[in-house]
Amino acid sequence: LAVGYCQLPELLPVPGLRLGTTRAGVRYQDRRDLVIMELAAGARVAAVFTRNAFCAAPVVVARDHLARISPRYLLVNTGNANAGTGAQGEADARRCCAALAELGGCRSEQVLPFSTGVIGEPLPVKVIVEGLPAALASLSEQGWSEAAQGIMTTDTLPKGVSRVLELDGQRITVTGIAKGAGMIRPDMATMLAYVATDAPLAQPLLDRCLRSAVERSFNRITVDGDTSTNDACLLVATGEAGIPEIGETGSAYQALCGVVTEVCERLAQLLVRDAEGATKFVTVEVSQGRDAAECLQVAYTLGHSPLVKTALFASDPNWGRILAAVGRAGLPDLDLAGVEIHLNEVCIVRGGARAADYTEAAGQAAMNQDEICIRIALGRGGARERIWTCDLSHEYVRINAEYRS
Amino acid sequence: LAVGYCQLPELLPVPGLRLGTTRAGVRYQDRRDLVIMELAAGARVAAVFTRNAFCAAPVVVARDHLARISPRYLLVNTGNANAGTGAQGEADARRCCAALAELGGCRSEQVLPFSTGVIGEPLPVKVIVEGLPAALASLSEQGWSEAAQGIMTTDTLPKGVSRVLELDGQRITVTGIAKGAGMIRPDMATMLAYVATDAPLAQPLLDRCLRSAVERSFNRITVDGDTSTNDACLLVATGEAGIPEIGETGSAYQALCGVVTEVCERLAQLLVRDAEGATKFVTVEVSQGRDAAECLQVAYTLGHSPLVKTALFASDPNWGRILAAVGRAGLPDLDLAGVEIHLNEVCIVRGGARAADYTEAAGQAAMNQDEICIRIALGRGGARERIWTCDLSHEYVRINAEYRS
């Protein structure tokens, strides 16, 4: 189960966005596996996609459609990632878009397809197309919770969050949902996130806001260092809030972008909390670096180290492993004498060796927590970064070794 | 147990090098844990050490001594890595060197110290010093096998290999031993390798030969991507073979360096075969790259991917995970349509998707082997590289989660 209390909170509707969910039977029967999001005319969409060169057919098609015209529908299926399916996969994704466009009365390019699930199997187009009417019939601004369930694959719980802010005396909503339980599932293509607001945001600012929020959230988590073939994150601005368009990077933009970032951070944390086999939610904070890049280099070296991650799983305050990971992160001229490391509030390393006042009991008490912050001060500058990660458990190996059997 | 049949073969003596081993009781009683290697006058030594910025006290001292004068003794203890021990650790390492120098009648700087074992505990200098006379008393050119056992920590078996070649009508021997069962042990500081030949090799060529051999062997393996604080690899040329000194990079150098590389490759493979929890010995061959660097980038992305490694553990011919790892390796403009992937002789991916003639049965048969070669042709150049790695098993997590308990 996920680390920490993560029950789905009330998800607030975003005027101008309706969501419909149904059980189409893509891979399993009796499971919500098809979600349609309908965008009001005039809504704007920003998107970021996986950087994996082996990207899935729906990613190729969604990128193509997005470059042509404003979207009216997002179509998500679980159970099948339509990845590793070559030219047939692209044709299949386009057939699904065309079918929804016909029912919805728009152009085929106004539908963006998203698929998540098993890699390498042909997409069951007929099953998806047959599910469309039921999904359309259930469209509602109240449909967020069901959609959060409808995009789940092996997630143990639906993930979503809402925030409100006030702009121009008007209440603005930001609601987001996400799915994914490893950076890439065994044969699964993983992370999808949809965030929407009713604030009217000019397209360049929408793109900028999404990139900035993603950089601080989904690009700051790691479970196993693997990157899915299907990752996508969308930000929709319906513009229905009845305030003037935000076209400049003034205080309204800053406030809105801050809340969007907060929503993305929460969703990113939920992915890590529900990661495969995770028993610990771990924040790695690296400060006093020369620049952000070297702080991240150290943070990810820890976040990807099997030895650090197994020590976390064992609740072992193993400062030698942490210090060794810092040492091999590849920082030029790193003077370990200037490095300080804390586990939560306990100083474990100072001056390149175990802190003089460190006691195993204090380290053990910190490590016994479910939520652990590893704080590393590099002692050579003013930059600071943090990432979220989890431990490496027997359950991770079991899930990933047994998934296909 | 190690993958494949790895019993220690007969290790041939190298004239000019004697080895002595004893049970000093550094950490455990009744275990060979102290090894002395005595080099004949005139022997030359080349060495490479860990690149981890957090390097252990003996590494600091050995580097310092090596820069000053020709070594006469190598002193190795197991049970304690003398790492993370600060200034006291360096002083302790120097005290051990001084004690051996006094008994051996040489200068303190002519002793190189090596320690492997638990990180962060003070070195038991007294125990080591008291063990020196017994180790010296057992010095013998026949001492290789006992030394191979004497440098073991959690290795399940001693590791060594001998090769001979003929130069100038003279039989030349190259013998090497190594220890290490993860790239870094939990609290252990891991890899040590000692290779010796009786060939007379000029110092610049000796250095060059070692760097070249290490680059193709110990720098081509990965278990978990971690780098120990104590890694060291030495090449000794005693020069006792009675042939003229090899001072140029002609055919004699080429032949000798080829055999040294072969010895290092075998030792490197033995480390992987005996890696923590390993059930598979995996070769990753990447060909048709633009340059060696990008071939290695792809190979290590696979070798470090927990998803690929758990699939190997499960004997799951999971081509999606392998292709996704290739895709995220960060190669610019990689066209997956040109990529071909084989598991042993079975083609699993062609043109960015599952090969048309692939059958699950054929893939399964390849994956069921203990020794698996993943061959990736990138289809964009003439460079080629290969690394050796292993799978990620429950046993790996168990060992690394439970080591300190």
Side-chain angles (χ1 to χ4, degrees):
Chain A
L1 272 181
V3 182
Y5 183 70
C6 303
Q7 208 181 18
L8 192 66
E10 188 194 351
L11 296 179
L12 304 172
V14 176
L17 184 82
R18 299 197 303 161
L19 307 97
T21 303
T22 192
R23 295 172 169 85
V26 175
R27 186 176 171 85
Y28 302 101
Q29 299 307 313
D30 207 37
R31 182 160 163 169
R32 293 190 178 92
D33 57 6
L34 195 66
V35 175
I36 292 174
M37 299 181 218
E38 182 200 63
L39 283 51
R44 294 194 177 109
V45 174
V48 292
F49 295 98
T50 180
R51 294 178 200 162
N52 196 315
F54 169 44
C55 69
V59 170
V60 173
V61 173
R63 272 207 192 102
D64 176 44
H65 285 188
L66 199 54
R68 293 165 185 268
I69 190 170
S70 288
R72 294 299 304 277
Y73 289 100
L74 313 181
L75 173 60
V76 192
N77 73 271
T78 67
N80 185 309
N82 194 8
T85 45
Q88 183 61 46
E90 276 190 46
D92 288 346
R94 288 183 203 278
R95 283 166 61 206
C96 293
C97 293
L100 177 52
E102 191 171 332
L103 293 170
C106 67
R107 288 173 50 186
S108 183
E109 293 80 11
Q110 291 182 293
V111 180
L112 305 184
F114 302 88
S115 296
T116 178
V118 175
I119 291 180
E121 307 277 331
L123 190 72
V125 175
K126 185 161 174 289
V127 171
I128 290 171
V129 169
E130 287 173 0
L132 295 176
L136 284 169
S138 74
L139 281 173
S140 156
E141 286 188 355
Q142 313 296 328
W144 282 98
S145 295
E146 290 197 345
Q149 290 164 40
I151 62 174
M152 285 168 62
T153 51
T154 51
D155 305 65
T156 71
L157 82 178
K159 302 169 177 75
V161 62
S162 286
R163 294 280 185 272
V164 294
L165 73 161
E166 197 167 298
L167 293 178
D168 276 347
Q170 189 73 33
R171 187 178 121 127
I172 301 288
T173 304
V174 180
T175 292
I177 56 175
K179 59 92 36 181
M183 277 311 86
I184 182 179
R185 297 292 309 199
D187 304 63
M188 305 281 294
T190 304
M191 193 205 101
L192 296 175
Y194 303 91
V195 179
T197 179
D198 49 346
L201 203 55
Q203 188 70 44
L205 289 188
L206 189 69
D207 293 333
R208 178 176 175 151
C209 177
L210 177 64
R211 279 199 306 273
S212 153
V214 165
E215 190 59 21
R216 291 188 49 77
S217 56
F218 300 110
N219 283 345
R220 289 293 178 278
I221 59 176
T222 184
V223 171
D224 49 23
D226 279 301
T227 307
S228 157
T229 54
N230 292 49
D231 288 348
C233 176
L234 270 78
L235 176 61
V236 176
T238 65
E240 306 253 318
I243 57 169
E245 181 175 270
I246 302 172
E248 295 188 3
T249 56
S251 61
Y253 171 78
Q254 297 300 338
L256 180 66
C257 192
V259 172
V260 169
T261 301
E262 206 181 294
V263 165
C264 288
E265 283 180 356
R266 175 63 182 164
L267 293 175
Q269 289 180 15
L270 287 170
L271 296 183
V272 173
R273 287 175 185 281
D274 195 26
E276 296 168 347
T279 72
K280 306 271 187 188
F281 177 77
V282 182
T283 304
V284 184
E285 264 185 29
V286 181
S287 63
Q288 300 179 5
R290 286 186 187 158
D291 53 34
E294 75 170 32
C295 292
L296 287 174
Q297 210 172 322
V298 170
Y300 279 116
T301 301
L302 265 80
H304 291 151
S305 162
L307 290 175
V308 171
K309 291 168 97 76
T310 46
L312 287 163
F313 170 53
S315 297
D316 178 1
N318 196 319
W319 61 274
R321 289 190 207 183
I322 295 173
L323 187 52
V326 173
R328 75 175 170 85
L331 268 51
D333 325 312
L334 176 63
D335 180 8
L336 282 157
V339 173
E340 259 194 42
I341 305 179
H342 284 75
L343 278 184
N344 294 340
E345 301 311 311
V346 181
C347 184
I348 56 172
V349 168
R350 192 180 290 122
R354 184 164 49 189
D357 53 352
Y358 173 76
T359 65
E360 191 80 3
Q364 191 62 60
M367 265 294 183
N368 287 343
Q369 311 294 313
D370 284 351
E371 315 224 350
I372 294 167
C373 184
I374 305 177
R375 296 191 289 125
I376 298 161
L378 295 173
R380 55 195 236 144
R384 168 189 294 271
E385 281 288 343
R386 61 107 190 74
I387 66 166
W388 297 296
T389 188
C390 60
D391 55 335
L392 170 59
S393 67
H394 282 300
E395 189 65 5
Y396 177 89
V397 174
R398 194 192 61 74
I399 292 170
N400 286 293
E402 293 178 8
Y403 186 81
R404 297 219 323 187
S405 30
Chain B
L1 272 181
V3 182
Y5 184 70
C6 304
Q7 207 181 19
L8 192 67
E10 189 195 350
L11 297 179
L12 303 173
V14 176
L17 184 83
R18 299 197 302 162
L19 308 97
T21 303
T22 192
R23 295 171 169 85
V26 175
R27 186 176 171 86
Y28 301 101
Q29 298 307 312
D30 207 36
R31 183 161 163 168
R32 292 190 178 91
D33 57 6
L34 195 66
V35 175
I36 293 174
M37 298 181 219
E38 182 200 64
L39 283 51
R44 296 194 175 109
V45 174
V48 293
F49 295 99
T50 180
R51 294 178 201 161
N52 196 315
F54 169 43
C55 70
V59 170
V60 173
V61 174
R63 271 208 192 101
D64 176 44
H65 285 188
L66 200 55
R68 294 165 185 267
I69 188 171
S70 288
R72 294 300 303 277
Y73 290 99
L74 314 181
L75 172 60
V76 192
N77 74 271
T78 67
N80 186 307
N82 194 8
T85 45
Q88 184 61 46
E90 276 189 47
D92 288 346
R94 288 183 203 277
R95 283 166 61 207
C96 294
C97 293
L100 177 52
E102 192 171 332
L103 293 171
C106 68
R107 289 174 48 186
S108 183
E109 293 80 8
Q110 290 182 294
V111 180
L112 305 184
F114 302 89
S115 296
T116 177
V118 175
I119 290 180
E121 307 279 328
L123 190 72
V125 175
K126 185 160 175 288
V127 171
I128 291 171
V129 169
E130 287 173 0
L132 294 175
L136 283 170
S138 74
L139 281 173
S140 155
E141 286 188 355
Q142 312 297 327
W144 283 97
S145 295
E146 290 198 345
Q149 290 165 40
I151 62 174
M152 285 169 63
T153 51
T154 51
D155 306 66
T156 70
L157 82 177
K159 301 169 178 75
V161 60
S162 287
R163 293 281 185 272
V164 293
L165 73 161
E166 197 168 298
L167 293 178
D168 276 346
Q170 189 74 32
R171 187 179 122 129
I172 301 287
T173 303
V174 180
T175 292
I177 56 176
K179 60 90 38 180
M183 277 311 85
I184 182 177
R185 296 293 309 199
D187 305 63
M188 303 282 294
T190 303
M191 193 205 100
L192 297 175
Y194 303 92
V195 179
T197 179
D198 49 347
L201 203 54
Q203 188 69 44
L205 290 188
L206 189 69
D207 293 333
R208 177 176 176 152
C209 176
L210 177 63
R211 280 199 305 274
S212 153
V214 165
E215 191 58 22
R216 292 189 50 78
S217 56
F218 300 110
N219 283 345
R220 289 293 178 277
I221 58 176
T222 184
V223 171
D224 49 23
D226 280 302
T227 307
S228 157
T229 53
N230 292 49
D231 288 347
C233 176
L234 271 78
L235 176 61
V236 176
T238 65
E240 307 252 318
I243 57 168
E245 181 176 270
I246 303 171
E248 296 188 3
T249 56
S251 61
Y253 171 78
Q254 296 301 338
L256 180 66
C257 191
V259 172
V260 169
T261 301
E262 205 182 295
V263 164
C264 288
E265 284 180 356
R266 175 63 182 165
L267 293 174
Q269 289 180 15
L270 286 170
L271 296 182
V272 173
R273 287 176 185 279
D274 195 26
E276 296 168 347
T279 73
K280 305 272 187 187
F281 177 78
V282 182
T283 304
V284 183
E285 264 185 28
V286 181
S287 63
Q288 300 179 6
R290 285 186 187 157
D291 52 35
E294 75 170 32
C295 292
L296 286 174
Q297 211 172 321
V298 170
Y300 280 115
T301 302
L302 265 81
H304 292 151
S305 163
L307 290 175
V308 170
K309 291 167 96 78
T310 47
L312 287 162
F313 171 51
S315 298
D316 178 1
N318 196 319
W319 60 273
R321 289 190 206 181
I322 295 172
L323 187 53
V326 174
R328 75 174 170 84
L331 268 50
D333 325 312
L334 177 63
D335 180 8
L336 281 157
V339 173
E340 260 193 42
I341 304 180
H342 284 75
L343 279 184
N344 295 340
E345 300 311 311
V346 180
C347 184
I348 56 171
V349 168
R350 191 180 290 123
R354 184 165 48 189
D357 53 351
Y358 173 77
T359 65
E360 192 80 3
Q364 191 62 61
M367 265 295 184
N368 287 344
Q369 310 295 312
D370 284 352
E371 314 225 349
I372 294 168
C373 184
I374 305 176
R375 294 191 290 126
I376 298 161
L378 296 173
R380 56 195 234 143
R384 168 189 294 270
E385 281 288 343
R386 59 111 189 72
I387 66 165
W388 297 295
T389 188
C390 60
D391 56 335
L392 171 59
S393 67
H394 283 299
E395 189 65 5
Y396 178 89
V397 175
R398 193 192 61 74
I399 292 171
N400 286 292
E402 293 178 8
Y403 186 81
R404 297 220 322 188
S405 29

